[in-house]
Amino acid sequence: MTRPPRVAVVGAGVAGAGVASALGESALEVTVLERDDVAGGRTATHRRDGCRYDIGANYLSDGSERVSELVRTLDDGDLVDIGASVWTFDADGRISPGDEARADDHRWTFEGGLATLPRRLLERSGATVRTGCSVTSLEYASDEGRWIVDLGGEETNATAENLDADAVVLTPPGPATASILEASVDGSEESESQPQSTFQSQPQSQPQFQALAEAARSTPYRSVHSFALHYPFDLERPFYALVNTDREHPVGWVAREGEKRGHVPEGETLLIAQMASDWSVTHRSTPAADAAREAAARVAALLEDDRLADPDWTDLVEWRDALPDTDPDADADAETTGTDRLRGAESAGLFVASDCTHGRGRIHAALERGLTVGDRIRESFGSDRSH
Ligand SMILES: Cc1cc2nc3c(=O)[nH]c(=O)nc-3n(C[C@H](O)[C@H](O)[C@H](O)COP(=O)(O)OP(=O)(O)OC[C@H]3O[C@@H](n4cnc5c(N)ncnc54)[C@H](O)[C@@H]3O)c2cc1C
């Protein structure tokens, strides 16, 4: 009996979970390798003192019909439509009611936070998920049409082994995807014979790792310091969140996490404050407590409430490669120039599903991308859904 083809997915964020989901119920053996101790990536939910809060992405908006339907199938009665509106502010901190045209948009999360989305997708896909596995490079044995995924981060663990795969998908942000590609090598033996692959029947050409890495690096990313600011009192406001529309204010986004069912106990306030990219870059070496104090002072001034300058606890995640530096709501069909180049190694079984491929930093776009790449892999192996 021949073994099932193996697919290694690097990254257990929404895109990686989307690939696994599309390959669920297929005859392929899927392993998802995640550097962190938990799945989720930029959909990150933290817990503290009875609060749950989304410290990366704050909500999921409606995507394609396929994405919206898939999200509904994940609802165990804990999908939350935040409902309340998003207002805007400008460089001078002038607040205005939000865009009426978008007033009816859904904004989703889960009672357990947005990280529920990739975790539930992965659970239901049947894929094997290995956390704490940092992929450092790939080796392509073109004479065998086989990939060796190097788990450099696990080398100190005597039981750890590198992973063999017939196809590999890279989902980390552009710079991390580029680092893996730059360290990757042709591991084929000198051979007179034509390369063979279980991936496709044709002889395989060598992936051009450096060209792929350059394409992955060509998408610039913004940095975001994302703070949780907690207060032991209630804060009433007519909006769920405020967004800075001219990118001229040090604060990019402030959201009232208590508007999400099940996230913040009554009588308390938890604000998520996401700082502008320039502010985040210049505060990279600022100690977290000092940065939090400065951010809270900015939020207090914006919301004209002095009490907000003094949170009783704070949390911070510095997202260095937070979002592609493009318009995240740009036309879904608008392709970036890197896209075609990043598909250049698919015939050898190397796929890129990172957001550097299209520059749209949105959860629904990441899920769509993962599903599409999963579909392409399934088609390449000629593997139909088993039921
Ligand atoms: C602060 C912030 C706010 C945002 N707000 C919103 C929002 O409100 N709404 C919205 O729709 N989108 C938002 N986004 C964007 C959204 O979070 C992303 O578009 C989406 O989560 C990207 O998913 P992904 O799977 O492509 O990437 P990621 O979530 O980054 O997943 C990649 C995974 O790869 C792992 N990884 C990296 N390197 C390696 C390695 N070498 N080996 C193994 N694993 C590795 C990472 O740990 C990560 O888990 C926000 C993002 C940030 C940072």
Side-chain angles (χ1 to χ4, degrees):
M1 204 176 77
T2 55
R3 61 165 177 79
R6 288 166 301 191
V7 180
V9 180
V10 182
V14 175
V19 175
S21 177
L23 295 177
E25 299 172 6
S26 73
L28 309 180
E29 194 179 292
V30 180
T31 305
V32 182
L33 302 160
E34 169 56 48
R35 178 190 59 192
D36 291 345
D37 293 337
V38 290
R42 282 171 277 172
T43 54
T45 307
H46 286 190
R47 289 161 192 254
R48 178 164 167 181
D49 295 353
C51 295
R52 282 187 195 127
Y53 47 98
D54 293 317
I55 191 92
N58 273 213
Y59 64 83
L60 161 71
S61 27
D62 289 320
S64 65
E65 212 163 293
R66 181 182 187 191
V67 163
S68 299
E69 266 174 32
L70 180 58
V71 170
R72 267 184 226 109
T73 66
L74 300 176
D75 181 10
D76 284 351
D78 56 353
L79 188 64
V80 175
D81 185 355
I82 307 167
S85 55
V86 174
W87 288 20
T88 60
F89 63 98
D90 63 13
D92 299 323
R94 267 192 305 266
I95 295 175
S96 333
D99 181 355
E100 284 302 317
R102 300 192 56 192
D104 291 329
D105 281 2
H106 287 113
R107 295 186 178 88
W108 306 104
T109 185
F110 290 83
E111 285 182 25
L114 269 175
T116 306
L117 173 69
R119 286 187 202 147
R120 214 166 264 175
L121 276 171
L122 287 166
E123 273 161 26
R124 296 185 185 180
S125 72
T128 301
V129 180
R130 292 174 59 185
T131 53
C133 287
S134 185
V135 173
T136 50
S137 64
L138 309 173
E139 198 179 304
Y140 183 55
S142 61
D143 43 1
E144 300 169 56
R146 184 172 70 95
W147 290 88
I148 301 156
V149 181
D150 189 348
L151 303 175
E154 279 197 344
E155 270 173 2
T156 49
N157 178 348
T159 61
E161 282 177 14
N162 293 336
L163 194 83
D164 260 24
D166 301 293
V168 178
V169 187
L170 298 175
T171 72
T177 285
S179 297
I180 295 171
L181 290 165
E182 278 157 3
S184 296
V185 291
D186 167 12
S188 56
E189 301 287 331
E190 289 293 320
S191 166
E192 295 291 304
S193 65
Q194 283 283 24
Q196 293 300 314
S197 173
T198 49
F199 179 69
Q200 285 184 335
S201 52
Q202 298 94 0
Q204 304 303 301
S205 56
Q206 270 306 317
Q208 304 297 311
F209 291 118
Q210 292 311 315
L212 291 169
E214 271 168 37
R217 245 184 231 294
S218 66
T219 300
Y221 277 73
R222 278 190 277 149
S223 288
V224 175
H225 271 49
S226 182
F227 292 96
L229 309 172
H230 180 270
Y231 308 89
F233 53 79
D234 220 357
L235 184 76
E236 286 300 324
R237 285 292 189 275
F239 46 78
Y240 150 59
L242 294 177
V243 63
N244 176 224
T245 40
D246 55 19
R247 290 200 187 178
E248 297 285 338
H249 197 283
V251 179
W253 165 266
V254 189
R256 296 165 57 234
E257 195 69 9
E259 290 295 299
K260 300 174 178 173
R261 189 176 75 229
H263 280 227
V264 183
E266 266 185 46
E268 300 178 22
T269 294
L270 194 148
L271 299 179
I272 297 293
Q274 295 179 341
M275 307 305 284
S277 190
D278 286 350
W279 191 98
S280 301
V281 169
T282 53
H283 287 75
R284 268 184 193 162
S285 50
T286 307
D290 295 343
R293 205 169 303 119
E294 220 184 288
R298 297 284 190 182
V299 168
L302 179 63
L303 296 181
E304 297 181 333
D305 187 334
D306 291 344
R307 297 174 303 164
L308 300 178
D310 190 22
D312 61 352
W313 59 260
T314 64
D315 187 9
L316 164 64
V317 174
E318 293 186 36
W319 299 101
R320 195 161 280 220
D321 298 313
L323 298 160
D325 197 7
T326 51
D327 177 2
D329 296 316
D331 182 353
D333 296 329
E335 300 262 299
T336 57
T337 49
T339 307
D340 288 345
R341 282 187 289 160
L342 282 163
R343 289 193 61 178
E346 289 190 1
S347 63
L350 176 59
F351 293 77
V352 180
S354 158
D355 53 10
C356 67
T357 57
H358 60 39
R360 291 169 61 235
R362 283 283 180 255
I363 298 173
H364 62 81
L367 183 48
E368 185 76 51
R369 200 167 61 242
L371 292 169
T372 305
V373 165
D375 288 346
R376 287 211 295 272
I377 293 174
R378 219 180 47 231
E379 279 161 24
S380 306
F381 281 111
S383 170
D384 291 331
R385 284 179 179 270
S386 52
H387 32 255

